[in-house]
Amino acid sequence: MSTLKRYQFPALIIALILLAAMPADLTGLGIPWTGFKRYGLYIISLWLVTAIAAMGVNLIMGYAGQETLAQAAFLGIGAYTMALLTTKLGVPYFVAFAAAGALCFVVGILLGFPALRVQKHYLAFVTLAFAVFVWLFIRNEQWLTGGVFGIQDVPRPVIFGIKTRPPLVFYWFVLFMTVVLAAVMWWLLRSPWGRAFTALRENPVRAESLGIDVRSYKLLAFAVGSAYGGFAGALYAPLVEFIDPAPFALGPSLYYLLMILVGGMGYFLGPFVGAAVGVLIPEWLRFTEGLAPIIFAVIVMIMVALAPRGILGLIEQLLTPKRRPHSDVTGPTLGAGATLTKSSAEKVTS
Amino acid sequence: MTDFLQLVISGLATGAIYALAAIGFTLLWQTTQTINFAQGEFMMLPAFFALAAMRWAGAPFWLACIVAILCSVLVLGIGYKKIIIDPLRGQPGLAVVISTLALAIFLKDSVKDIYSAEAQPFPTILPDTMLSFGGVNISLAQIGVLVVATVVILVLNWFLTQTRTGRQMQATAQNPTVAKILGVDIDRMVLYTFLINAALAGMASLLISPIYLAKFSNGEVLGLAAFVAAIVGGFNQVRGAIVGGLVIGVVDNLAAAYVSTAYRQAVPLVLLVLVILFRPQGILGRKEERTV
């Protein structure tokens, strides 16, 4: 970890400057770079929006050790909240943005409360069923959501007099919101509250005996993670400007889990790497005509077995000076799945 | 009243099919502590094995059914264990969850690309003739489904309780360590569990496809029904899976008729939340103790 940590801050600043400058037309500054076209801007904005939702999943899975199969549904709740409030009621953007996150937080509490009363993978099943329900609701309640016809002309906000209508400006706006949300997540994870998660993940039984209320922590993690889904949705709606039920179905929800695994579960930057793979693979593999999901699924199945800590885990392994790998008490594992294997204490035995 | 009875009976027929898949799911949980999130796709795929055998090899329906069961045992039993589950030994439950979710996407999209994206009609074992019992109309196909499912469950029950291998399997499920000390070949028993799960999923697939048509995306709905059946009945009980399957089938049918067709697929969510709130161990389940 230390090798990565030392360069963390300067690398972050450089990355941010690059991210902000990359899509822009720099020829005016004497740099021969004409920036991104409309489509490139859309893809890179979509990457950031996906990464926000994936950050939520990372909190739920990578830190609290729970499975959520409904992140796309929360994205949908956020997107429709934003679209309805701004198009039908003319609510200011940031009020709608807060409402989208708050609604997802409350739904997360209501959903997680029963599911987390019981052990095992019940949250996975409840969220699975919930994802189906949300999709049905969006599709059936035409009076509210427009059904399969969706909602058109979701406006892009005007912030301090700056119109975010042009794709490049909207991209900068998304980038700014991503940085804010990432900073909040960073602060959450470094707070005593966040540190309790690490304890939870490493050894739930011990954390419980140290006085950490495991259930309410997991519940909060799920609710906050889901709220990130809502925030992502509130950015997604003005990004695409037209929303319909399809992107919020069960299928897309599953992809968030896969993205987190590919990126690196429990790594702060994991969601960004995972979302890049998840957004770009379908683009690169467009020529294969529909083979992208299959290839993505195969990559995930191989990675779960050989590199359970994802791309960032692999990079970390390469950067760490060669040492004898610590052997884990739980037995032979492939790859250095230390963070993963420790949570196996959670396993239930009958 | 006759409407109600008809709905209950057709619900029992689909419920019996869910029960088959839920039993396999429960057996796998008991012996390997793994959850198969691709169970729905396991109920979707074998029908396409049968369709492929009929379309590309010109096999008659009965032969196609046998081919489908054999293929499913081979691919979804042995293949699933060796390729997906075995490499994850020693990893926590989350790894299996993610891997089986990826497998679900893989199977679904493969069927879509290789066979067809359209819903395929699927032949029934018995014809769809209506029989009338004192005003209650029941189709021969439904009776066929109920009979086949009942026979399969009875045979499985006989195998698990009356044969030496079956009892060894139960011993492995209850306490692998003790079973091993007593000389049970645990690895073999685990393999048998995978084979039985695949065979049950295959049966379920052949029985459900005439009702819902064979479609690549069926796994989502079927899988959810099977999971919820297993949870409603009691996660750790084969008997529970049977009861759970029947409950889901009947409630689903009644809800579609009396509440709302549009929200039919939301029935599992409602049942799931009710069970978790009021009887988390399921209707017939017993509580599991957590070990440190």
Side-chain angles (χ1 to χ4, degrees):
Chain A
M1 198 57 137
S2 60
T3 334
L4 279 183
K5 258 202 179 122
R6 208 179 318 150
Y7 304 112
Q8 226 165 28
F9 196 68
L12 194 70
I13 300 295
I14 295 170
L16 275 179
I17 294 171
L18 276 179
L19 275 177
M22 187 172 57
D25 189 346
L26 300 177
T27 43
L29 298 169
I31 304 163
W33 174 255
T34 51
F36 281 14
K37 296 259 162 27
R38 201 186 172 81
Y39 189 68
L41 280 166
Y42 165 73
I43 290 295
I44 193 169
S45 307
L46 184 65
W47 165 59
L48 289 176
V49 170
T50 310
I52 294 173
M55 259 196 280
V57 181
N58 194 31
L59 177 70
I60 299 167
M61 283 215 320
Y63 292 91
Q66 299 295 308
E67 298 111 7
T68 173
L69 304 180
Q71 194 67 348
F74 283 109
L75 207 87
I77 294 176
Y80 274 91
T81 307
M82 171 57 70
L84 288 171
L85 288 181
T86 49
T87 57
K88 297 214 168 140
L89 297 177
V91 170
Y93 181 83
F94 281 105
V95 176
F97 186 82
L103 183 59
C104 288
F105 184 86
V106 172
V107 173
I109 296 274
L110 292 178
L111 210 56
F113 182 75
L116 290 169
R117 286 178 65 203
V118 268
Q119 277 286 320
K120 290 176 284 190
H121 303 276
Y122 275 25
L123 186 65
F125 293 114
V126 171
T127 49
L128 182 70
F130 179 70
V132 173
F133 171 76
V134 168
W135 186 73
L136 281 177
F137 183 87
I138 297 176
R139 219 185 41 165
N140 287 333
E141 302 302 315
Q142 250 185 40
W143 61 274
L144 185 69
T145 62
V148 285
F149 303 109
I151 299 175
Q152 284 167 12
D153 301 322
V154 183
R156 288 183 179 175
V158 179
I159 296 139
F160 300 123
I162 305 167
K163 288 199 176 92
T164 61
R165 188 99 234 294
L168 182 61
V169 182
F170 190 74
Y171 163 72
W172 279 331
F173 171 64
V174 173
L175 181 63
F176 173 75
M177 295 306 282
T178 311
V179 171
V180 171
L181 288 169
V184 171
M185 181 66 79
W186 179 265
W187 170 80
L188 266 180
L189 290 171
R190 290 297 169 285
S191 70
W193 186 73
R195 290 191 188 277
F197 279 128
T198 326
L200 251 180
R201 184 183 56 188
E202 304 292 310
N203 191 338
V205 179
R206 188 159 160 215
E208 203 165 3
S209 71
L210 288 173
I212 295 172
D213 184 355
V214 175
R215 236 182 78 198
S216 59
Y217 271 94
K218 283 183 177 171
L219 182 58
L220 267 179
F222 176 62
V224 172
S226 302
Y228 267 67
F231 289 137
L235 287 167
Y236 178 80
L239 169 67
V240 293
E241 295 175 284
F242 161 73
I243 50 170
D244 69 336
F248 312 121
L250 178 62
S253 277
L254 304 185
Y255 279 96
Y256 282 99
L257 251 85
L258 307 191
M259 280 185 232
I260 291 299
L261 182 103
V262 169
M265 208 187 299
Y267 286 95
F268 189 78
L269 292 178
F272 292 89
V273 178
V277 176
V279 171
L280 290 178
I281 277 197
E283 291 306 314
W284 288 335
L285 295 177
R286 187 161 282 221
F287 68 94
T288 59
E289 286 171 29
L291 280 184
I294 299 179
I295 294 171
F296 195 31
V298 170
I299 291 176
V300 168
M301 286 189 277
I302 293 171
M303 281 192 79
V304 176
L306 299 180
R309 292 198 303 163
I311 293 173
L312 287 179
L314 281 176
I315 294 175
E316 191 183 285
Q317 227 174 345
L318 290 176
L319 289 181
T320 331
K322 278 263 182 291
R323 222 182 293 138
R324 294 242 106 212
H326 306 284
S327 59
D328 216 291
V329 255
T330 42
T333 47
L334 296 153
T339 48
L340 273 174
T341 36
K342 271 175 191 155
S343 61
S344 60
E346 208 184 5
K347 255 194 201 168
V348 190
T349 44
S350 52
Chain B
M1 191 61 204
T2 52
D3 281 353
F4 180 78
L5 272 179
Q6 261 164 244
L7 287 168
V8 168
I9 290 170
S10 64
L12 285 176
T14 38
I17 306 174
Y18 294 149
L20 292 181
I23 292 171
F25 186 73
T26 309
L27 284 175
L28 271 190
W29 168 257
Q30 285 182 327
T31 36
T32 62
Q33 305 279 306
T34 59
I35 291 182
N36 178 14
F37 274 91
Q39 187 78 352
E41 277 65 30
F42 279 30
M43 291 171 78
M44 173 274 296
L45 189 61
F48 283 92
F49 286 143
L51 285 172
M54 286 190 285
R55 181 163 124 190
W56 290 325
F61 180 58
W62 62 270
L63 184 63
C65 286
I66 296 172
V67 169
I69 300 284
L70 288 178
C71 282
S72 105
V73 167
L74 207 65
V75 176
L76 304 176
I78 299 172
Y80 171 61
K81 179 178 188 291
K82 300 279 179 213
I83 298 170
I84 305 290
I85 297 300
D86 283 353
L88 300 181
R89 193 169 284 180
Q91 284 202 34
L94 197 58
V96 175
V97 172
I98 294 172
S99 199
T100 52
L101 282 173
L103 178 66
I105 294 172
F106 174 78
L107 293 177
K108 189 162 47 180
D109 278 88
S110 299
V111 167
K112 183 178 158 194
D113 288 346
I114 297 172
Y115 199 88
S116 169
E118 301 297 318
Q120 307 287 321
F122 197 85
T124 47
I125 296 169
L126 288 175
D128 236 345
T129 0
M130 281 296 182
L131 301 176
S132 190
F133 297 94
V136 181
N137 291 319
I138 303 162
S139 79
L140 207 55
Q142 280 170 359
I143 298 175
V145 166
L146 272 172
V147 169
V148 172
T150 312
V151 169
V152 169
I153 290 170
L154 287 177
V155 169
L156 181 69
N157 193 46
W158 169 81
F159 172 75
L160 286 177
T161 53
Q162 303 299 318
T163 66
R164 194 179 160 78
T165 320
R167 286 203 298 270
Q168 287 187 340
M169 283 179 63
Q170 285 195 319
T172 309
Q174 278 163 17
N175 196 328
T177 324
V178 173
K180 195 168 188 176
I181 294 168
L182 291 174
V184 175
D185 185 350
I186 301 186
D187 290 336
R188 182 167 287 268
M189 296 308 134
V190 170
L191 177 66
Y192 287 163
T193 314
F194 278 89
L195 298 185
I196 290 175
N197 176 50
L200 286 172
M203 294 298 300
S205 181
L206 298 179
L207 293 175
I208 200 93
S209 296
I211 304 173
Y212 283 165
L213 302 179
K215 194 175 179 199
F216 73 97
S217 59
N218 275 0
E220 286 176 11
V221 182
L222 297 180
L224 193 56
F227 298 145
V228 177
I231 292 173
V232 168
F235 219 67
N236 42 28
Q237 295 279 316
V238 169
R239 277 176 304 143
I242 299 170
V243 174
L246 297 177
V247 167
I248 295 280
V250 172
V251 172
D252 179 58
N253 236 7
L254 293 179
Y258 295 118
V259 187
S260 151
T261 337
Y263 283 104
R264 181 180 198 163
Q265 284 164 299
V267 168
L269 175 68
V270 177
L271 276 175
L272 193 55
V273 171
L274 286 179
V275 163
I276 290 174
L277 282 177
F278 297 111
R279 201 174 159 78
Q281 72 272 38
I283 297 173
L284 294 180
R286 54 190 151 71
K287 283 197 170 147
E288 286 188 353
E289 298 298 325
R290 199 167 51 139
T291 51
V292 177

